[in-house]
Amino acid sequence: MGTLEGHLLAGVCLLFFSFYYSVLVSLALLRGQRFLKLPLPPKEKRDHSWKPVPVEGVVKVVVSLTGILSEFFFPPGVNRMKLVNWEDPRRPFLFSENWHHSTMYGFFMLSGVVDIVSQSCLARQSMKLERAAEALAFCIMALLLMAHLENKSALEIRVHILFMVPIFLVSLVLAMEVWVPDQPQLWVLKTWLVLVSSTWMLQLCLVMYVPPSGQSWRSENHEDLTFLAIFFCWHLGLGAAILATVYGICSLWHHHCSSWTETSGAKYQPCPTGYSSDELEKLRAGADQQDGGV
């Protein structure tokens, strides 16, 4: 991740997930859903031919594994998996930044594995366990970013501190969702913070590697450091604007589908949100009971 390509990979992946959650949150709000993602039925009630493989979990694992391999073996021919230089009498640690980044990727991969196990292997889906694993991944990311500030220029320190703010807040929101998963305010806040994190990661690429002006940012210049905070505030507004735009597009689609089904003679039925469906009531009661024991 210590290169332009590494930061772009992380930024694009965060942006992809933030757009994905923006759509999920928008549709959940429009439909009045109690849960952001409805719980799966218990394993004994599922069709034997239906073996769900959570796409989100698979994507987490694939992207994280790609990031880990690139940290250790990119460009081809290098090998940075050596942790200690045993030939040196002082036994110094090697490739600390690569191990930092790989650890971050590793916990996101763990989150993906937890999603897969919870939704495909357990008798009942453990939604609390999934949220806890995701919260842990973001918490580890924030902690390692603090250690990532060692021996950096003032510019890099300022950029990474501003990046740590939304990441740390995301980990707090995810931790809160372990106990209160049915709060739309937390869904919106989480999605907005991840949007800000992703756009700021891409801004970090422009500041540190390819400044549009062609002139490198100067760490010793007070004005340059001041404008970093200004740009970050702009990203806060940009994240809110993106989320509002996605919500608007989803609203148009939602109402268009509703009117189309009504005119075609089919009765429009939004995604079940309450306990009007007996089966959904049982599934949610089972999910609540199971999650309460985690």
Side-chain angles (χ1 to χ4, degrees):
M1 194 188 291
T3 62
L4 173 62
E5 293 80 5
H7 285 88
L8 279 176
L9 173 64
V12 170
C13 290
L14 274 177
L15 188 63
F16 170 80
F17 271 104
S18 61
F19 274 120
Y20 168 70
Y21 273 101
S22 297
V23 174
L24 282 184
V25 169
S26 299
L27 292 177
L29 293 176
L30 290 167
R31 294 167 177 169
Q33 293 178 195
R34 181 180 173 185
F35 294 93
L36 180 59
K37 291 185 288 187
L38 296 177
L40 294 174
K43 199 169 184 179
E44 63 272 11
K45 294 185 178 181
R46 301 175 194 170
D47 187 355
H48 292 293
S49 61
W50 179 48
K51 297 180 180 179
V53 177
V55 176
E56 182 179 338
V58 173
V59 171
K60 285 181 183 178
V61 171
V62 171
V63 172
S64 299
L65 185 59
T66 301
I68 292 173
L69 293 177
S70 63
E71 286 293 332
F72 289 132
F73 304 111
F74 184 84
V78 303
N79 185 353
R80 303 188 189 92
M81 286 201 71
K82 191 175 182 181
L83 182 62
V84 178
N85 186 1
W86 296 102
E87 298 177 359
D88 191 324
R90 296 173 298 175
R91 304 292 190 267
F93 289 107
L94 301 174
F95 311 117
S96 59
E97 287 196 3
N98 301 96
W99 282 99
H100 266 149
H101 301 152
S102 298
T103 303
M104 295 180 194
Y105 282 126
F107 276 90
F108 279 101
M109 185 167 66
L110 174 64
S111 174
V113 171
V114 169
D115 290 347
I116 295 172
V117 171
S118 172
Q119 298 178 34
S120 300
C121 302
L122 298 183
R124 292 179 181 271
Q125 180 186 5
S126 178
M127 301 178 71
K128 282 191 173 184
L129 184 61
E130 295 174 24
R131 296 189 192 96
E134 198 170 22
L136 177 62
F138 276 95
C139 183
I140 293 296
M141 187 176 184
L143 290 174
L144 289 177
L145 280 173
M146 294 176 60
H148 201 58
L149 303 179
E150 298 292 336
N151 301 320
K152 301 290 185 181
S153 65
L155 177 70
E156 291 180 285
I157 291 175
R158 183 70 59 88
V159 168
H160 283 86
I161 287 178
L162 292 173
F163 182 60
M164 285 168 52
V165 173
I167 293 296
F168 178 70
L169 292 176
V170 168
S171 65
L172 287 181
V173 173
L174 286 168
M176 293 171 63
E177 282 193 322
V178 174
W179 288 276
V180 283
D182 55 349
Q183 297 298 313
Q185 300 90 336
L186 294 181
W187 306 345
V188 175
L189 180 59
K190 173 183 66 177
T191 306
W192 173 59
L193 290 171
V194 178
L195 275 168
V196 172
S197 303
S198 60
T199 58
W200 185 250
M201 173 68 81
L202 298 177
Q203 176 73 53
L204 188 150
C205 296
L206 294 178
V207 171
M208 295 178 57
Y209 298 103
V210 284
S213 65
Q215 297 294 328
S216 300
W217 285 60
R218 296 160 295 179
S219 299
E220 70 280 359
N221 189 294
H222 176 71
E223 293 296 330
D224 284 9
L225 297 179
T226 301
F227 265 93
L228 280 178
I230 296 174
F231 287 164
F232 182 76
C233 293
W234 291 359
H235 279 266
L236 296 176
L238 177 63
I242 293 175
L243 184 55
T245 302
V246 173
Y247 180 85
I249 295 173
C250 291
S251 178
L252 292 174
W253 178 83
H254 176 75
H255 292 298
H256 173 73
C257 289
S258 175
S259 60
W260 182 82
T261 52
E262 289 177 356
T263 56
S264 64
K267 184 178 179 182
Y268 174 72
Q269 294 182 348
C271 182
T273 59
Y275 292 120
S276 57
S277 171
D278 294 336
E279 182 63 23
L280 185 59
E281 180 180 1
K282 294 177 182 179
L283 296 181
R284 285 181 174 168
D288 291 341
Q289 181 180 4
Q290 189 274 340
D291 281 345
V294 175

